[in-house]
Amino acid sequence: MADEFVVDEAVGPSCVEVLTDALPVRGDVHHTERRVWFDTHDWRLFRAGLLLEHHVRKRESWLVLSDLEGQRISRQPIGRAAVTAQSLPDGVTRDRVLELIGVRALLPRVVASGPVQVLSVLGPEEKTVARIVVEGPTTVRDGAPVGLRARIESLRGYDKDAAKVCRTLDAIPGFGPAKEPLFESVLRAAGLHPRSFRSKPDLEFIPRIPVTQAFAGTLTQLREIVLDNVEGTLRQLDTEFLHDLRVTVRRTRAVLKFAHGTIDEDIRASYAVELKWLADQTSLSRDLDVYLLGFEDLVSHVNASGELEPLRRQLTRHRKTAHAALNRALRSERFAALLDGWQRELAVAGPAERPVIEVADDQLSRAWKRVAKRGDTITDASPAEAVHDLRKRCKELRYLLEFFGSLYGADARSEAVSELKLLQDILGEFQDAEAQRISVHQYAVELAKAGAPPATLIAMGRLEHHLQLRQDAARAEVADRWQRFNRKHNQRLYARMVTSR
Amino acid sequence: MRIVASYSIKGGVGKTTAAANVAWLAAESGQRVLLWDLDPQGGATYLFRVRPKVKGGGEALVSGRRDLRDAVKASDFDNLDLLPSDFSYRNLDLLLDAQKKPTRRLGRLLDSMADEYDVVVLDCAPSVSLVSEGIVRAADLVLAPLVPAPLSVRTLDQLRSFIAEAKGPAPDLLAFLSMVDRRRRLHRDLSEQLPNEHQDVAATAIPMASVVEQMGVRRAPVVAWARTAPASVAYRNLWDEARLHAKI
Ligand SMILES: Nc1ncnc2c1ncn2[C@@H]1O[C@H](COP(=O)(O)OP(=O)(O)OP(=O)(O)O)[C@@H](O)[C@H]1O
Ligand SMILES: [Mg+2]
């Protein structure tokens, strides 16, 4: 039985009267309420089955956490000011929300307002046994209004009473079960679709579709994801926007590489240049983000705190300049032209060509061979460049698996990816430690010139040493992990993937 | 989850009244509160208009045959739920005694609620019994009304030793003067003297007031419907003190 009803316009104005006639209710005061739904850009709360709402009335405001069925988990008094992750008051809401959102910012996703009246349904001894919340019509910011609703709130230990109220409402002419809860209607009215949010392309290829079509579809999605992250990157809402933007650009570059022989060579080459330019614009900002996000952790490893404060300030300053430069790039005509051309030239399928499966088989087996060739030459003594080279080839293979994965059995694909991931993790650790070590050194030189205290420089020396140890430890494991990855089982796995269909 | 027991050895001193008001105040601040009425007379249950009935009675709950959760009833107030009284609670001592570790039983039962509530308030009948040992043992804070009288200090001492003798880690104790009539010299003196001389007596005293008596007629905590009455202000101050005292 529905617990949310749509109230017909004809009944609308007399809704409360109708309910008062039908049930023993007591009406509370009538309010105008503004509601703001908060979530991260990638809907982490929603995906975990939670809704976080800020209800603002003239004199009072609350923070309300509930599940998607409307069951309330917590309701806390809170100020009228916009809610942020930092300003959440202590309690279950804060605990649950912080755990879910991680580094992402809590953002107001949709704002709606309208009249709300709560009716208490009374049982024996005038005890409240259920509530009817009459809400609407609701004005949705940037969207069409949502009509009048009557929602039944059940009270713990009084489920039967709530069910009875539902049956009563169901029998009243002009009350029809709502197809979806109010928040779904509000989100939809505002053009938001949390269930279809993607931070990476959603690819499902049929083996026989023309390869041109597969590329055009993927590139269309990639462009949308880039666009989806521009605003948050510009405003620095959180560090994940830039991260996702950057990863998407990287994916796009990989896809373009795979499109060798499919997309016109001149076009491909010119976008390769433009995308490299874009990727370069993001590098410094992201590096500094990563640095600062992991700063506390890093500092804790070398047993320093105060001494490294100048380094933190330095990094913060650099990040500010780097972000400003990035923002200029994102607001430039060159970027606008890239997005525009991307739409016109990359997101459209050329004349039908080979089926996608042929290209996939071909490229996967070649990429696998390239990885195998590098891996086999890796020893504990081989130079850093060889490790980097292997890392790049692995990345290529990983992107291929992502891109063409849907063509192969889900089991084989996910096993291949998780095996590869183990190898990539150690290669990544090697690379990150090296990059940070080099930059610590550079920063030390800069800070020394600027007259930083010796204690700072000494602590940075310890930091450099710590990073060197990390890099060495990763390095020492590369050959082992390669052996594990390259065992017969995985060789067969890849062979099977491309021949088994 | 923090557990507050409203307790005194004496009857009719304001335990139930304090439990109801304190529970409401915690709920108002956004904490999720459960008030467990362990008194077979069901004073707190009556105040919240809930039917004094638990399916299967105390036996089912204490033995674990019935999940505590299933017996919970929402009050009319946000964030405030009730575990109602049941007449069978008059045998609660016997029921507990039949369990393995009788004085730990109540605490154990409440452990299962830890993810659903931030604060649990226990209200029980006055006496020295297995039930009161159990609630003292389960509690993080014992909130004890003390009626101003020449023997107040002795009552306080009895309370302290009762808490000290209870097994397990000792809860914090916060006694407070209850039903203080400012027109009476002795009441005025004691409500100044006791908090000054004893760390475990709250600075806030609850005045004798007819609004408090009205709770039984209105059937809702006074803090909910007479927010600015001196008694309500006193309960609010008392709760603030208690929260600081026991870090709730
Ligand atoms: N501050 C007060 N002013 C006036 N009357 C009060 C005050 N506090 C409590 N009372 C009244 O005194 C009576 C006893 O209070 P209450 O039920 O809270 O005490 P109790 O300690 O729980 O009693 P019992 O031991 O029977 O459980 C009630 O009628 C209550 O309304
Ligand atoms: Mg009582």
Side-chain angles (χ1 to χ4, degrees):
Chain A
M1 167 87 27
D3 50 12
E4 202 160 332
F5 293 84
V6 171
V7 184
D8 207 87
E9 271 176 38
V11 179
S14 55
C15 175
V16 170
E17 257 168 68
V18 169
L19 291 171
T20 314
D21 286 345
L23 289 159
V25 295
R26 186 178 52 221
D28 290 353
V29 206
H30 189 270
H31 290 281
T32 299
E33 190 171 82
R34 180 163 56 90
R35 287 195 207 177
V36 189
W37 279 265
F38 281 86
D39 208 328
T40 60
H41 183 68
D42 54 355
W43 302 100
R44 288 186 188 192
L45 301 184
F46 181 88
R47 285 188 289 147
L50 294 176
L51 292 175
L52 181 64
E53 300 170 32
H54 189 194
H55 294 184
V56 184
R57 291 183 184 172
K58 200 163 181 188
R59 286 203 183 75
E60 306 158 297
S61 319
W62 288 277
L63 186 67
V64 180
L65 185 72
S66 55
D67 65 21
L68 299 183
E69 277 77 52
Q71 202 63 48
R72 188 185 295 162
I73 297 163
S74 158
R75 183 174 192 244
Q76 284 175 284
I78 191 178
R80 302 169 63 91
V83 173
T84 63
Q86 289 73 36
S87 71
L88 293 173
D90 282 344
V92 61
T93 301
R94 181 187 172 85
D95 296 346
R96 299 272 292 268
V97 168
L98 290 191
E99 187 183 325
L100 285 168
I101 68 173
V103 298
R104 293 236 72 156
L106 210 48
L107 304 170
R109 302 309 308 269
V110 59
V111 182
S113 57
V116 174
Q117 177 157 25
V118 180
L119 303 175
S120 299
V121 181
L122 303 178
E125 318 266 312
E126 308 245 298
K127 166 85 182 72
T128 303
V129 291
R131 292 196 184 93
I132 307 174
V133 184
V134 179
E135 47 198 347
T138 305
T139 320
V140 181
R141 187 184 290 174
D142 304 324
V146 177
L148 190 64
R149 299 280 189 116
R151 173 166 50 86
I152 287 125
E153 279 184 2
S154 67
L155 266 63
R156 190 166 186 173
Y158 296 94
D159 299 340
K160 284 191 188 133
D161 298 271
K164 225 167 91 189
V165 175
C166 288
R167 285 196 297 275
T168 307
L169 259 63
D170 203 36
I172 303 177
F175 285 70
K179 280 202 257 339
E180 57 186 10
L182 180 68
F183 78 89
E184 298 259 14
S185 305
V186 169
L187 288 180
R188 215 154 36 76
L192 295 168
H193 304 278
R195 284 185 190 83
S196 50
F197 174 87
R198 295 280 178 274
S199 66
K200 57 164 132 174
D202 183 21
L203 303 173
E204 274 305 328
F205 298 143
I206 301 159
R208 314 272 5 135
I209 61 161
V211 66
T212 45
Q213 196 182 318
F215 277 109
T218 308
L219 287 163
T220 304
Q221 288 193 50
L222 286 163
R223 180 178 177 275
E224 277 158 15
I225 297 167
V226 166
L227 274 174
D228 189 39
N229 284 290
V230 169
E231 171 84 8
T233 303
L234 282 169
R235 294 173 56 197
Q236 284 187 54
L237 294 175
D238 64 43
T239 54
E240 285 302 283
F241 286 98
L242 172 56
H243 175 251
D244 284 350
L245 176 74
R246 197 170 145 73
V247 170
T248 311
V249 170
R250 204 184 285 147
R251 279 203 175 98
T252 311
R253 294 174 70 194
V255 169
L256 268 189
K257 228 178 239 160
F258 308 150
H260 175 75
T262 300
I263 293 180
D264 174 85
E265 202 45 40
D266 286 344
I267 294 182
R268 214 175 62 86
S270 80
Y271 284 98
V273 171
E274 291 309 289
L275 286 164
K276 165 129 189 2
W277 165 78
L278 181 55
D280 289 345
Q281 303 307 303
T282 61
S283 297
L284 188 55
S285 279
R286 176 61 192 167
D287 285 353
L288 287 160
D289 278 350
V290 172
Y291 224 138
L292 282 162
L293 283 172
F295 195 75
E296 298 301 322
D297 181 53
L298 205 58
V299 165
S300 72
H301 281 294
V302 297
N303 212 343
S305 52
E307 302 103 289
L308 286 174
E309 209 31 43
L311 173 60
R312 206 179 56 79
R313 281 201 300 271
Q314 166 110 336
L315 291 169
T316 312
R317 264 197 312 274
H318 276 285
R319 176 160 75 167
K320 209 167 156 201
T321 344
H323 275 310
L326 170 61
N327 282 3
R328 276 196 298 281
L330 292 178
R331 292 199 178 100
S332 70
E333 277 176 25
R334 186 167 179 181
F335 181 59
L338 166 59
L339 287 175
D340 184 47
W342 189 334
Q343 169 92 318
R344 281 182 292 106
E345 298 186 295
L346 297 180
V348 291
E353 273 257 3
R354 294 202 288 164
V356 63
I357 191 68
E358 276 180 26
V359 178
D361 283 354
D362 194 34
Q363 298 212 7
L364 263 174
S365 48
R366 271 196 287 163
W368 166 255
K369 277 183 205 135
R370 277 199 294 268
V371 167
K373 196 172 132 205
R374 263 63 165 201
D376 282 338
T377 63
I378 286 279
T379 64
D380 285 342
S382 40
E385 290 75 57
V387 180
H388 288 313
D389 196 25
L390 175 61
R391 188 176 57 82
K392 284 186 198 150
R393 298 285 81 85
C394 284
K395 215 167 220 177
E396 192 177 281
L397 181 58
R398 175 80 173 274
Y399 281 132
L400 270 173
L401 285 171
E402 250 182 34
F403 183 41
F404 291 126
S406 63
L407 293 163
Y408 304 96
D411 289 350
R413 177 193 4 159
S414 70
E415 194 180 345
V417 168
S418 61
E419 287 284 334
L420 180 56
K421 199 170 169 306
L422 283 175
L423 177 60
Q424 283 188 289
D425 284 349
I426 200 73
L427 295 167
E429 166 80 6
F430 175 80
Q431 147 93 0
D432 291 349
E434 181 178 72
Q436 288 200 351
R437 183 175 55 75
I438 292 170
S439 63
V440 166
H441 192 90
Q442 283 166 355
Y443 286 130
V445 173
E446 275 179 36
L447 283 168
K449 269 193 209 138
T456 300
L457 299 175
I458 291 167
M460 288 178 76
R462 288 209 298 283
L463 204 55
E464 189 182 356
H465 181 64
H466 164 75
L467 290 163
Q468 179 72 61
L469 292 180
R470 252 173 61 181
Q471 192 186 353
D472 292 346
R475 180 69 189 80
E477 239 189 274
V478 170
D480 268 3
R481 292 251 184 135
W482 169 255
Q483 293 304 334
R484 183 198 144 84
F485 176 72
N486 192 36
R487 62 194 199 278
K488 279 274 163 342
H489 174 77
N490 284 343
Q491 292 175 1
R492 278 197 219 104
L493 187 67
Y494 279 89
R496 247 198 353 258
M497 270 180 65
V498 292
T499 57
S500 66
R501 291 163 293 98
Chain B
M1 183 177 77
R2 305 286 279 169
I3 301 177
V4 179
S6 186
Y7 177 70
S8 91
I9 302 168
K10 291 196 165 168
V13 292
K15 294 185 297 292
T16 300
T17 309
N21 282 298
V22 151
W24 188 92
L25 288 166
E28 190 214 24
S29 77
Q31 287 177 305
R32 298 164 301 164
V33 183
L34 177 69
L35 171 56
W36 191 355
D37 184 357
L38 285 155
D39 185 341
Q41 299 218 43
T45 305
Y46 177 82
L47 280 178
F48 286 100
R49 301 169 187 270
V50 174
R51 206 157 77 95
K53 176 88 194 124
V54 172
K55 250 195 217 133
E59 195 275 331
L61 291 188
V62 169
S63 67
R65 201 155 50 71
R66 186 143 191 265
D67 196 336
L68 225 50
R69 286 159 215 266
D70 297 339
V72 172
K73 296 281 179 184
S75 76
D76 288 4
F77 304 101
D78 241 351
N79 294 332
L80 177 51
D81 291 348
L82 202 80
L83 255 172
S85 160
D86 186 274
F87 195 50
S88 64
Y89 285 178
R90 68 189 187 283
N91 299 321
L92 211 50
D93 255 31
L94 292 176
L95 295 172
L96 284 177
D97 206 23
Q99 297 295 317
K100 269 202 200 99
K101 291 175 177 159
T103 59
R104 266 177 83 171
R105 191 67 197 157
L106 292 176
R108 280 283 162 81
L109 288 171
L110 285 169
D111 284 345
S112 68
M113 309 286 246
D115 55 338
E116 289 184 67
Y117 295 99
D118 300 311
V119 177
V120 175
V121 179
L122 303 175
D123 184 29
C124 79
S127 68
V128 171
S129 62
L130 270 181
V131 181
S132 46
E133 268 181 65
I135 69 159
V136 166
R137 190 160 187 193
D140 296 293
L141 171 71
V142 172
L143 199 57
L146 209 57
V147 174
L151 291 181
S152 293
V153 175
R154 220 185 78 190
T155 312
L156 184 60
D157 274 334
Q158 282 173 342
L159 195 62
R160 286 178 185 142
S161 44
F162 178 60
I163 289 177
E165 280 159 25
K167 289 187 201 133
D172 282 315
L173 167 65
L174 188 66
F176 64 94
L177 285 151
S178 176
M179 308 188 182
V180 173
D181 184 351
R182 308 256 346 147
R183 287 167 310 188
R184 292 166 68 176
R185 176 81 190 266
L186 175 76
H187 283 210
R188 279 203 310 275
D189 288 352
L190 281 173
S191 60
E192 260 157 44
Q193 218 178 345
L194 287 183
N196 273 338
E197 289 168 8
H198 303 274
Q199 282 267 319
D200 48 8
V201 177
T204 309
I206 306 296
M208 176 79 93
S210 58
V211 276
V212 179
E213 278 171 325
Q214 285 292 310
M215 274 176 56
V217 182
R218 292 273 205 142
R219 298 182 74 179
V222 61
V223 284
W225 52 267
R227 289 176 179 238
T228 52
S232 296
V233 174
Y235 276 118
R236 210 173 266 279
N237 291 339
L238 176 66
W239 179 234
D240 287 344
E241 266 191 74
R243 290 175 79 163
L244 270 180
H245 193 77
K247 300 183 187 67
I248 296 168

